[in-house]
Amino acid sequence: MTTNLESILADNQVDTVTWLRNQQVGPNAYPGVPAEYTNWRDEQRAWNETCVLFNQSYHMAELMVEGPGAFDFLLGLGINSFKGFIPDRAKQYVPVTPYGHVIGDVILFYLAPEKFNLVGRAPTLNWVLFHGEGRKDVTLTYDERTAARPDKENRRHFRFQLQGPNAAAVLTDALGAPAPDLKFFHMTWIEIAGKKVHALRHGMAGQPGYELMGPFEDHDAIHAALVAAGAKHGLKLVGGRTYSSNTLESGWIPSPLPGIYTGELNRPYREWLSDDQYESRCSVGGSYVPDSVEGYYTTPWDLGYGAFVKFDHDFIGREALEKIAAGPHRKKVTLALDDEAVTEAIFAQFGNDGLRPKYMEFPSAVYSMHQFDRVEQNGKLVGLSTWIGYTTNYGKMITLAMVDPDYAEPGTEIDLVWGEPDGGTSKPTVEKHRQITIRGVVAPVPYSEVARTSYAPSWRTKQA
């Protein structure tokens, strides 16, 4: 018998925090591509030095929203203003609960009049699907990510990203004409290998680039044309192991926990979510263990999306956000971990003198779908680390963290608590280990200088 998230939470013999922290799901896989095409170090270097091709055709879900009511429907669910939003534009789209807690974020593509495409992780798409049920003026078509569907190859669209200093040169050779000169998050139509392709000016790995999309049946032809065009420009393909680390340099926190597990106003949504959907199966990990699951919830300001919040329209959660808009708010920062302290954590993997520290994977050290590690100063909790990994471009282990404003100044010395308490949870990704403290220093976000100085003003470079 199929159950829903609300009944699962009601039947749990443990609290929601314990349940999420002990979910029996394995590593978060990036399907459709090999773990590494060459090696993750060279693949990371390529987005900084030459160019990379990300194949995003498999690991993200997407939702088509079409019809005469599509514009107003989406406007009423997001914190974003739609003033000046016209076809061939895109934006980072962020909905919140009635309590002002972030559901997630996706890229919203305005493809044509009455036609939108939302691309990203499942929580935001599920939220939109729920609120769209029963509407006569909107048609919703969901395309599940490859890892969660039986027909692994039957996607609606292919999606590639060219990123790096040579991205424009590669696209120019693939087109046989100059690459389009687009503003950030603007789109246009181009032709590659005789196929029409929708191109978005984008940047993801701390470098400028393009996102290219079209019907999935054109996947192989477009991919082959881009690889051939990139041969003389140092183009490298990026595998799944490398892909998850690219956000560290560009400053995007990719996986906020949807704030839907509590609150009477969220009950109908929890009753709608089935036991096999993302929210019923996702895992939480890390050294931070709050008294309530609400300790994991985030606001737009926590994630650097404060500049997106516009009270020029009615939307779910507006009243709650109006009350907290004045702050104070946690601030998103990069936490650069001390080289010697990280080395000590790795060195302690050797020998048989008792429990070792939690193993630190390279390049991405995240071991749950939603990572929350304590950030402290002199033992006092001052923030949370959400994404951690190594960048060979800087030779550093860095994290993306949300910290109290008094500790957000670059150069502030704070510590990361690495590993879970009491020997670790029962998640398959967690071995028995002991907690350690790793020294760190607050650094700018994005960590990539190119992203800080070259991107258009956005959530990456401008925080409220």
Side-chain angles (χ1 to χ4, degrees), residues 284-305:
V284 171
S287 58
Y288 175 59
V289 185
D291 295 332
S292 163
V293 68
E294 293 182 2
Y296 291 133
Y297 295 172
T298 55
T299 72
W301 290 274
D302 294 332
L303 301 172
Y305 297 153

Side-chain angles (χ1 to χ4, degrees), residues 374-443:
R374 291 176 62 91
V375 176
E376 300 179 345
Q377 189 179 77
N378 299 322
K380 175 187 175 183
L381 180 69
V382 300
L384 301 175
S385 166
T386 66
W387 208 254
I388 178 171
Y390 175 80
T391 163
T392 197
N393 291 310
Y394 296 92
K396 295 289 291 185
M397 183 70 72
I398 61 178
T399 86
L400 296 176
M402 309 172 295
V403 301
D404 297 342
D406 290 342
Y407 302 88
E409 185 68 24
T412 303
E413 295 181 358
I414 49 181
D415 300 323
L416 174 77
V417 180
W418 176 246
E420 298 184 328
D422 303 319
T425 53
S426 65
K427 287 187 295 296
T429 55
V430 175
E431 76 281 13
K432 285 294 183 182
H433 64 274
R434 59 181 171 89
Q435 279 189 333
I436 60 171
T437 299
I438 301 176
R439 300 186 304 275
V441 61
V442 173

Side-chain angles (χ1 to χ4, degrees), residues 305-375:
Y305 297 153
F308 288 0
V309 180
K310 301 297 182 185
F311 300 120
D312 61 359
H313 64 292
D314 290 328
F315 60 91
I316 293 175
R318 172 176 172 166
E319 184 177 349
L321 293 185
E322 285 177 327
K323 292 178 180 178
I324 65 175
H329 305 292
R330 289 182 294 193
K331 187 174 181 180
K332 181 175 65 173
V333 301
T334 302
L335 179 59
L337 300 183
D338 179 79
D339 296 343
E340 183 178 350
V342 172
T343 303
E344 290 173 356
I346 296 172
F347 181 77
Q349 297 296 322
F350 298 92
N352 283 312
D353 297 331
L355 284 180
R356 303 179 180 114
K358 176 75 184 74
Y359 181 73
M360 191 172 280
E361 183 66 82
F362 281 62
S364 178
V366 174
Y367 54 87
S368 61
M369 293 180 177
H370 302 277
Q371 187 89 10
F372 292 93
D373 288 310
R374 291 176 62 91
V375 176

